[in-house]
Amino acid sequence: MRKTVLSQLLDIEFPIIQGGMAWISDAQLAAAVSNAGGLGVIAGGNAPKDVVEIQIDKIKKLTDKPYALNVMLLSPFADDIIDLAIEKRVPIVITGAGSPSKYIERLKEAQIKIIPVVPSVALAKRMESLGVDALIAEGTEAGGHIGELTTMALVPQVVDAVQIPVVAAGGIADGRGAAAAFMLGADGIQVGTRFLVAHECNVHANYKEMVIDAKDTSSVVSGRPTGHPVRILKNKLYRQYCDLEKKGASVEELEAIGAGALKKAAVDGDIVYGSVMAGQVAGLVKKMQPAKEIVDEIFDECNAIIMKQFQRIASK
Ligand code: TUI
């Protein structure tokens, strides 16, 4: 499963995209994934233009391979980050947490490939009709801001609805998940949670430990009343949030708790009162490894499983 329409489209060796994780995916992690043959992604998150610009300048020194910039559309700086992508001639833009419709024409004019994250067939079709290059169909198993549908249900429905390449995301951390995604018709995979514990990932050590210690039921969804549900690992902040929700706190009060909470966990290491975003597969992530080892392991395991299943079917 090395050469797919996605790896050809993006000029990468393995059809794997690293999840763009706000406050976490910097030039160092993205360059490590790109140098390993995948597509490394710098996350703009809520950061202003000058902060993101430093990371773009940095990745250009760390790799000559393709990389992407993730634009978080809920950010107050989203317009500026799109301008930056064009000014800096970033090869690929990935968008999340909203519809990038108003930016597509300008990005296409600048010959930047655009890959929106979609949580539904309706948005997938709209994006295809506007001329995007590929889609990331992200299921609710993913960490951070999420949609409603599971990866298992969403991916084949998006695959049937569009002609362009589809990347499966949400709930994929190893070769078994990758093989399953390809069986659903995906042309590539996106992996976030497992790269959180990559040696090259600069997230705080406490955050990494919490991911490694997580079990199957450690992740929960918070923030549904605000209209921006996020998957996080259960902690004291989550319990406080639930108590306030039960007491009938306003959307503004609930949003105030969430503001700055991701930075608190990812940068300051406060995993008690910060927001530790991670996917349901955190329970599968057991050790810290170099990014290259993660990429190689996923595809070695994926190929071995697919071969084994073919042999099993053939020998019946
Ligand atoms: O964007 C993500 N994951 C994120 S962004 C983030 S930073 C943040 N912090 C606090 C609150 C909110 C965000 C942390 N994690 N994933 C991609 C993704 N996009 N998942 C789901 C969607 C999505 C949802 C609705 C994409 C488009 C969409 O469109 C709605 C519409 O406008 O039609």
Side-chain angles (χ1 to χ4, degrees):
M1 300 307 300
R2 266 169 97 128
K3 281 281 167 234
T4 71
V5 286
L6 184 85
S7 46
Q8 277 156 18
L9 172 75
L10 303 180
D11 195 21
I12 54 178
E13 196 184 339
F14 296 101
I16 181 170
I17 300 180
Q18 165 237 316
M21 300 171 283
W23 287 108
I24 296 171
S25 308
D26 59 7
Q28 183 173 310
L29 177 62
V33 174
S34 288
N35 285 330
L39 184 72
V41 181
I42 292 171
N46 273 315
K49 199 173 171 181
D50 55 331
V51 171
V52 183
E53 186 172 9
I54 292 170
Q55 296 302 318
I56 294 174
D57 290 342
K58 202 167 160 192
I59 199 167
K60 288 181 177 174
K61 295 197 182 97
L62 294 175
T63 186
D64 52 10
K65 301 261 170 66
Y67 64 92
L69 175 63
N70 182 293
V71 183
M72 210 279 280
L73 297 168
L74 289 171
S75 164
F77 303 111
D79 286 356
D80 293 350
I81 304 300
I82 293 285
D83 290 345
L84 180 69
I86 294 168
E87 284 162 26
K88 291 276 171 182
R89 299 178 170 278
V90 164
I92 302 151
V93 161
I94 294 174
T95 64
S99 166
S101 301
K102 66 172 175 177
Y103 302 120
I104 292 175
E105 215 175 287
R106 281 180 60 221
L107 289 169
K108 278 168 69 75
E109 263 167 32
Q111 293 184 324
I112 294 175
K113 292 197 175 80
I114 170 154
I115 311 180
V117 173
V118 296
S120 67
V121 166
L123 191 60
K125 283 168 120 168
R126 189 142 44 96
M127 290 299 108
E128 183 183 46
S129 72
L130 293 176
V132 304
D133 296 278
L135 295 167
I136 299 174
E138 189 184 275
T140 197
E141 297 93 322
H145 182 78
I146 46 166
E148 286 290 338
L149 292 170
T150 61
T151 302
M152 183 80 127
L154 177 67
V155 171
Q157 294 188 69
V158 171
V159 166
D160 282 353
V162 300
Q163 306 289 318
I164 53 178
V166 176
V167 178
I172 305 168
D174 61 20
R176 294 169 296 180
F182 293 123
M183 293 302 117
L184 294 174
D187 304 291
I189 55 170
Q190 180 181 270
V191 171
T193 303
R194 188 152 174 205
F195 284 121
L196 278 172
V197 303
H199 286 172
E200 298 88 347
C201 179
N202 283 316
V203 74
H204 198 282
N206 296 349
Y207 200 120
K208 289 189 178 183
E209 263 170 47
M210 195 166 174
V211 171
I212 283 176
D213 292 342
K215 55 179 183 165
D216 55 346
T217 55
S218 297
S219 90
V220 286
V221 179
S222 154
R224 283 218 157 89
T226 66
H228 302 303
V230 288
R231 183 174 300 285
I232 52 170
L233 298 183
K234 236 180 282 178
N235 62 3
K236 214 158 188 168
L237 174 76
Y238 172 70
R239 285 185 277 277
Q240 276 186 351
Y241 191 97
C242 292
D243 287 346
L244 271 171
E245 213 180 300
K246 270 188 215 130
K247 285 183 197 149
S250 67
V251 167
E252 290 73 30
E253 280 173 279
L254 293 172
E255 269 173 350
I257 296 191
L262 176 59
K263 176 173 183 261
K264 210 189 250 186
V267 180
D268 308 336
D270 184 351
I271 55 170
V272 179
Y273 293 103
S275 181
V276 184
M277 295 186 184
Q280 287 186 334
V281 282
L284 276 177
V285 177
K286 290 287 161 237
K287 61 174 195 268
M288 301 186 201
Q289 290 170 289
K292 176 152 177 40
E293 210 173 282
I294 294 176
V295 171
D296 287 345
E297 238 177 64
I298 289 176
F299 284 93
D300 286 350
E301 199 185 354
C302 173
N303 289 334
I305 289 170
I306 291 172
M307 288 305 292
K308 207 167 118 188
Q309 291 302 331
F310 280 143
Q311 279 161 5
R312 187 182 62 81
I313 297 165
S315 64
K316 264 191 176 167

